[in-house]
Amino acid sequence: MRHRQAFVLMDFLFGLIVLALIAIIVAKATLTLQRYSLAKSSQSLVQIEASNAADIIRNYLEAESSFHFVDSTLSFAAHTITLQNSTLFLDGIVLMQNVARFDVRALSNNAFSIDICSLFGTQIHCINRVGWLQ
C-alpha cells in the first residue's frame, strides 16, 4: 500500500515537472514572437518616417522652379533642409532622426530625385522619390 502511494506521488510530481517545462517553453516562444513583432513594428515605423520625410520634401520642391543642394543642405526659395548629426531639419525643425544619407539630384526635364536612407540598428533602408519642378 505504501509503495502504491509513493508511485502515485511520484507520478504526480513527474506530471507537474512536465507541465512546468511545457509552460516555460510556451512562455519563451511567446517572448520570442513578441520581440520579433516589436522589431518589425519599429522597422516599419522608421520606414514610414523616411517615406513621409521624402514626400514632404518632394511636395515642397514641386512648388519650386529651382533648388540648390550642397553638403547635405537643400536650399530653395522658402525653405532650407539640412542633415546634421544624422538628423534631418526643415527650417530648424526636426523632420527625421537616424538618417544615414540624404541626397537630392537634378534630373533631365526639370525632374529631381530625392534619396533618404535611414539607419535601423545595423540595417540601412533607403527611400527614393522623383518629382518635377514647376
Side-chain angles (χ1 to χ4, degrees):
M1 186 71 140
R2 274 192 239 158
H3 293 292
R4 185 185 295 172
Q5 289 176 348
F7 279 115
V8 169
L9 181 61
M10 193 172 69
D11 230 11
F12 177 73
L13 289 175
F14 182 71
L16 279 178
I17 291 170
V18 168
L19 284 175
L21 289 174
I22 291 173
I24 290 170
I25 291 169
V26 169
K28 283 188 173 190
T30 303
L31 285 174
T32 301
L33 288 174
Q34 285 291 356
R35 284 186 193 134
Y36 178 77
S37 176
L38 180 62
K40 280 298 188 185
S41 296
S42 299
Q43 184 179 17
S44 295
L45 186 62
V46 168
Q47 291 172 353
I48 289 170
E49 185 180 22
S51 181
N52 286 343
D55 287 339
I56 289 169
I57 295 168
R58 182 184 64 195
N59 289 340
Y60 278 127
L61 279 179
E62 284 182 338
E64 299 297 326
S65 60
S66 67
F67 66 89
H68 300 285
F69 184 77
V70 178
D71 296 330
S72 299
T73 300
L74 174 65
S75 301
F76 47 98
H79 301 284
T80 301
I81 300 170
T82 59
L83 176 62
Q84 298 173 350
N85 299 327
S86 75
T87 303
L88 198 60
F89 292 95
L90 170 64
D91 297 332
I93 299 171
V94 175
L95 184 61
M96 183 180 166
Q97 295 180 336
N98 298 323
V99 177
R101 187 171 64 91
F102 172 59
D103 186 35
V104 180
R105 292 182 311 261
L107 304 173
S108 61
N109 299 328
N110 276 346
F112 60 87
S113 172
I114 302 167
D115 291 318
I116 298 177
C117 296
S118 57
L119 184 62
F120 181 73
T122 60
Q123 297 178 341
I124 293 178
H125 176 75
C126 294
I127 295 287
N128 180 277
R129 294 291 187 268
V130 176
W132 287 265
L133 295 171
Q134 196 175 36

